[in-house]
Amino acid sequence: MGSFEDGLWPLVEGFVASHDVAGLAVAVVRDGEVVSRGFGVRDVGSGTPVTPETMFHLASVSKPFVATAVVRKLDLDAPITEWVPEFTLADGRAGEVTARRLLSHTSGLPDVSDYAWHDPQLGDDALSEFARSLSGWRLRDDSAFSYSNAGYELLGLALSRAMGTTFEDAVRREVLAPAGMRNSTFLRADVPAELAASPHVGMPLAVPGDAYPYTRRHAPSSTLHSNLDELSRWITNAPELELMSQPVVQVGRPPWEEAMGLGWALGTYRGHRTLSHSGLDPGFGARIVLVPDRRTGVVVLANSNTVPASSITKAALDIALVGEPGEGVTELRTSQRPIAGPVAETLATEGPDAAKATYARLTAIEQPGFDDGFEDAVWGAIELHRTDLVWPLLHLWTDLRPASSAASTMTAWAHELDGDPDLARTAAQRALTLDPTNDEATEIISRLSASW
């Protein structure tokens, strides 16, 4: 597949060189043949390069692996309470929740609002304790698509009960080991240190010390670690696709998420049916796409939140499926470095006044989106409870864009996690004044009111 060496790799190299990226790994599988490459570094401190063996946290790309085990081992239409009796709901409707509905995000179960990455639960009882913590929740009234990481934690617990072992061991035995994925694991402690990619958050990019998006409380939804070599091997013969790729509910987000199946999102790209999943946690991003009728797949892994995995995936498929430029290639060729990067660099080295001057110069010349890159630069550190890494940039962002609802929302979230409810409420209310449809600001105010 020399077209990738000639066409795709120079595009990706140019993107990594000109944008705020730590490391990136890309693989393309076509008719059983694999091409893969690492770009950038595993850690900006060490400078160790990314290779096809580098292990990344996959975030929600974990879910198709869990789903594969679930469809093999569980009765999809039995109440999940048959395996997880400690799961109850305030409305008494826990018995309505089935594995099929959880796999397709149609159970009505809300999503998690705080992953508590800063306080990881590492015991074998972490999932059971999470299930008990849902006793105050209520189901939404309709069966429309509503993404819920919490649902996958219940699936993981049910799977462990059905197989009589821990969740992590259950998926290893049922899916990873049979696929020859010997290094892949849901247990962070099992990732070889010499292969592990570090998360990068903030701007300029930094490794947030001991903060890492890992806890066994959310292992089924988020914590698979793997690499290009093993993921490429898996997608060559991904199991259970006929059952899992049947549409259950419409989602309406082309090209990748037109509908939802069992663990896979269903879409269409350049006239071909796709199965895919994306993942995004603090410091990591991932996307995997399968095109079954062409025996083609793409894997994109990153150790920062500043990589457009969708654009890179599209560019790879442009070349793999058609052999000519398309939407993805165009997006990569025309992509400009988000303004947050140079502004943050100037802020770190020369201070706020110089950063404001950089912002004014760049917006006058390049005309990027005013908020371009700022939210990606701050949210990961905030979610890890490392607000100290981004407060200077948050203050600058709100000074530069006082009418930005997103800036006020991120500020409110940071104040909330810092234990300043009054400041958090003020910022969230300002965000809602600027944008009455801002659901994140509404949720922050709701959480603050509940804890009052």
Side-chain angles (χ1 to χ4, degrees):
M1 290 195 285
S3 56
F4 291 97
E5 283 80 357
D6 299 334
L8 182 62
W9 295 160
L11 281 174
V12 179
E13 287 173 344
F15 175 84
V16 171
S18 60
H19 288 63
D20 299 277
V21 176
L24 177 63
V26 182
V28 182
V29 179
R30 186 172 63 186
D31 292 325
E33 183 180 355
V34 179
V35 294
S36 62
R37 263 199 65 183
F39 303 84
V41 297
R42 293 198 287 118
D43 187 303
V44 294
S46 69
T48 307
V50 171
T51 71
E53 294 81 31
T54 298
M55 300 287 287
F56 289 80
H57 166 98
L58 300 192
S60 286
V61 172
S62 306
K63 291 182 174 70
F65 293 85
V66 177
T68 299
V70 166
V71 299
R72 289 173 172 175
K73 306 302 289 189
L74 300 186
D75 179 344
L76 299 187
D77 296 308
I80 205 74
T81 51
E82 288 193 6
W83 297 278
V84 189
E86 64 267 49
F87 168 54
T88 62
L89 292 170
D91 55 14
R93 299 173 60 192
E96 299 177 23
V97 178
T98 65
R100 187 182 304 277
R101 295 181 68 189
L102 291 173
L103 288 169
S104 57
H105 300 283
T106 56
S107 70
L109 195 69
D111 203 0
V112 178
S113 60
D114 183 2
Y115 292 86
W117 303 124
H118 67 295
D119 183 25
Q121 306 301 302
L122 304 179
D124 287 350
D125 61 348
L127 286 175
S128 179
E129 289 301 313
F130 176 77
R132 288 188 178 89
S133 76
L134 305 183
S135 61
W137 289 26
R138 298 174 180 272
L139 295 185
R140 294 186 172 94
D141 289 334
D142 59 57
S143 58
F145 176 81
S146 181
Y147 195 86
S148 177
N149 287 285
Y152 269 74
E153 323 310 5
L154 294 177
L155 287 169
L157 182 54
L159 180 66
S160 74
R161 299 271 171 78
M163 294 187 64
T165 186
T166 64
F167 157 73
E168 295 88 352
D169 186 58
V171 183
R172 181 190 62 80
R173 286 163 42 185
E174 188 63 33
V175 179
L176 302 179
M181 301 174 71
R182 287 192 275 182
N183 280 326
S184 297
T185 177
F186 279 82
L187 288 166
R188 185 192 175 199
D190 287 350
V191 178
E194 68 276 12
L195 297 178
S198 299
H200 293 78
V201 298
M203 193 72 71
L205 293 173
V207 178
D210 292 335
Y212 192 95
Y214 176 78
T215 175
R216 292 183 71 188
R217 184 181 176 93
H218 298 298
S221 69
S222 304
T223 73
L224 179 60
H225 291 69
S226 190
N227 60 28
L228 291 185
D229 284 350
E230 297 192 1
L231 290 169
S232 297
R233 185 179 303 121
W234 184 71
I235 65 175
T236 300
N237 295 290
E240 312 298 342
L241 290 187
E242 184 174 354
L243 170 62
M244 297 168 67
S245 65
Q246 299 304 309
V248 176
V249 62
Q250 293 301 304
V251 179
R253 300 174 191 161
W256 312 121
E257 299 176 355
E258 296 171 356
M260 191 70 205
L262 301 180
W264 287 103
L266 316 178
T268 307
Y269 189 72
R270 303 203 75 161
H272 296 277
R273 183 175 68 100
T274 63
L275 282 68
S276 71
H277 216 292
S278 62
L280 190 65
D281 275 338
F284 291 100
R287 184 174 288 276
I288 185 169
V289 176
L290 281 62
V291 187
D293 67 348
R294 292 291 297 272
R295 300 187 67 239
T296 296
V298 175
V299 180
V300 178
L301 309 175
N303 58 342
S304 67
N305 301 129
T306 53
V307 173
S310 181
S311 296
I312 295 171
T313 301
K314 290 176 184 176
L317 290 176
D318 289 342
I319 296 171
L321 299 176
V322 186
E324 63 182 35
E327 183 179 345
V329 170
T330 300
E331 288 176 1
L332 282 185
R333 283 178 176 168
T334 60
S335 172
Q336 296 184 3
R337 184 187 184 190
I339 196 171
V343 169
E345 286 179 356
T346 307
L347 176 64
T349 57
E350 302 178 47
D353 291 340
K356 291 176 183 178
T358 297
Y359 176 85
R361 174 175 58 81
L362 291 176
T363 53
I365 296 172
E366 299 181 18
Q367 296 298 317
F370 279 121
D371 289 344
D372 193 6
F374 282 102
E375 189 165 355
D376 282 341
V378 301
W379 75 263
I382 297 172
E383 187 169 311
L384 288 175
H385 288 232
R386 287 301 310 273
T387 58
D388 57 296
L389 295 176
V390 292
W391 268 122
L393 189 58
L394 264 177
H395 289 315
L396 181 68
W397 184 16
T398 53
D399 284 347
L400 292 171
R401 294 293 295 158
S404 168
S405 182
S408 292
T409 302
M410 292 294 107
T411 300
W413 189 16
H415 281 309
E416 179 190 13
L417 297 184
D418 282 352
D420 295 319
D422 292 338
L423 292 175
R425 188 175 292 103
T426 298
Q429 288 171 341
R430 182 169 64 248
L432 276 177
T433 299
L434 293 167
D435 177 10
T437 67
N438 187 325
D439 292 337
E440 293 181 20
T442 300
E443 184 177 335
I444 291 172
I445 290 174
S446 177
R447 288 200 301 267
L448 292 169
S449 298
S451 61
W452 182 258

